[in-house]
Amino acid sequence: MSPRILFRTVAVAEALTWAFLLLAMFLKYVTQTTEALISPAGGIHGFVFLVFVVVTIFVWVNQRWSPKVGLLGLLSAVVPLASVVFDQTMERRGKLDGGWRLAPGADTPRGPIEQLQAWVLRKPLIAAVVSVAGIAVVFAALLVIGPPVPSS
């Protein structure tokens, strides 16, 4: 999977979960018909949000985005549906072109972050399991801490 496809897939998933959360909030607060969707929508969105953050940083390193571009990518997850707009903008500017530059047989990693990325690209299955487990631990910790705003 190329950086473009990985980023696009997660950006669209992040936007879809935003839409699901907004629908749940609309049903609860505007129509006052149900609040049953709030918990699953919030949970799913929270998990995909964390995945988006990890993938954005991973692609940021690979594509050698400037700090400004990388931070804009991360901030695009905070605004509903902006991750897709960011993805389209990066596509138009050619900032998602190419493959994994630190894949086996490609560029030599420089520094600890690139070494970590090179390891992930050499051992993708192990890295995926470790990443999902790590995101799940962070997600569980955030669930224990509680929602970002107190329940009414």
Side-chain angles (χ1 to χ4, degrees):
M1 179 178 293
S2 69
R4 170 187 289 123
I5 292 171
L6 176 63
F7 190 79
R8 174 155 302 140
T9 300
V10 177
V12 168
E14 201 275 338
L16 289 173
T17 62
W18 250 124
F20 181 38
L21 181 57
L22 291 173
L23 173 65
M25 291 168 58
F26 177 80
L27 292 174
K28 178 181 179 180
Y29 297 111
V30 177
T31 68
Q32 298 180 347
T33 56
T34 183
E35 65 180 69
L37 292 177
I38 290 286
S39 185
I44 292 167
H45 175 66
F47 188 80
V48 173
F49 172 86
L50 293 174
V51 171
F52 180 80
V53 167
V54 169
V55 167
T56 299
I57 293 168
F58 198 72
V59 173
W60 176 358
V61 169
N62 186 75
Q63 301 303 106
R64 293 184 172 153
W65 290 342
S66 69
K68 177 183 172 186
V69 171
L71 290 173
L72 280 173
L74 292 173
L75 287 174
S76 73
V78 178
V79 178
L81 313 177
S83 59
V84 172
V85 174
F86 180 79
D87 170 64
Q88 291 171 346
T89 302
M90 294 298 95
E91 173 72 24
R92 263 194 320 274
R93 294 182 178 173
K95 299 225 179 240
L96 291 170
D97 291 347
W100 297 107
R101 66 181 180 79
L102 297 171
D107 291 357
T108 302
R110 297 176 307 183
I113 294 173
E114 287 191 358
Q115 288 174 347
L116 175 63
Q117 185 168 54
W119 176 83
V120 168
L121 293 169
R122 282 192 317 272
K123 310 253 187 223
L125 187 57
I126 294 170
V129 170
V130 169
S131 296
V132 169
I135 290 168
V137 167
V138 170
F139 182 69
L142 291 172
L143 285 177
V144 169
I145 292 169
V149 291
S151 302
S152 52

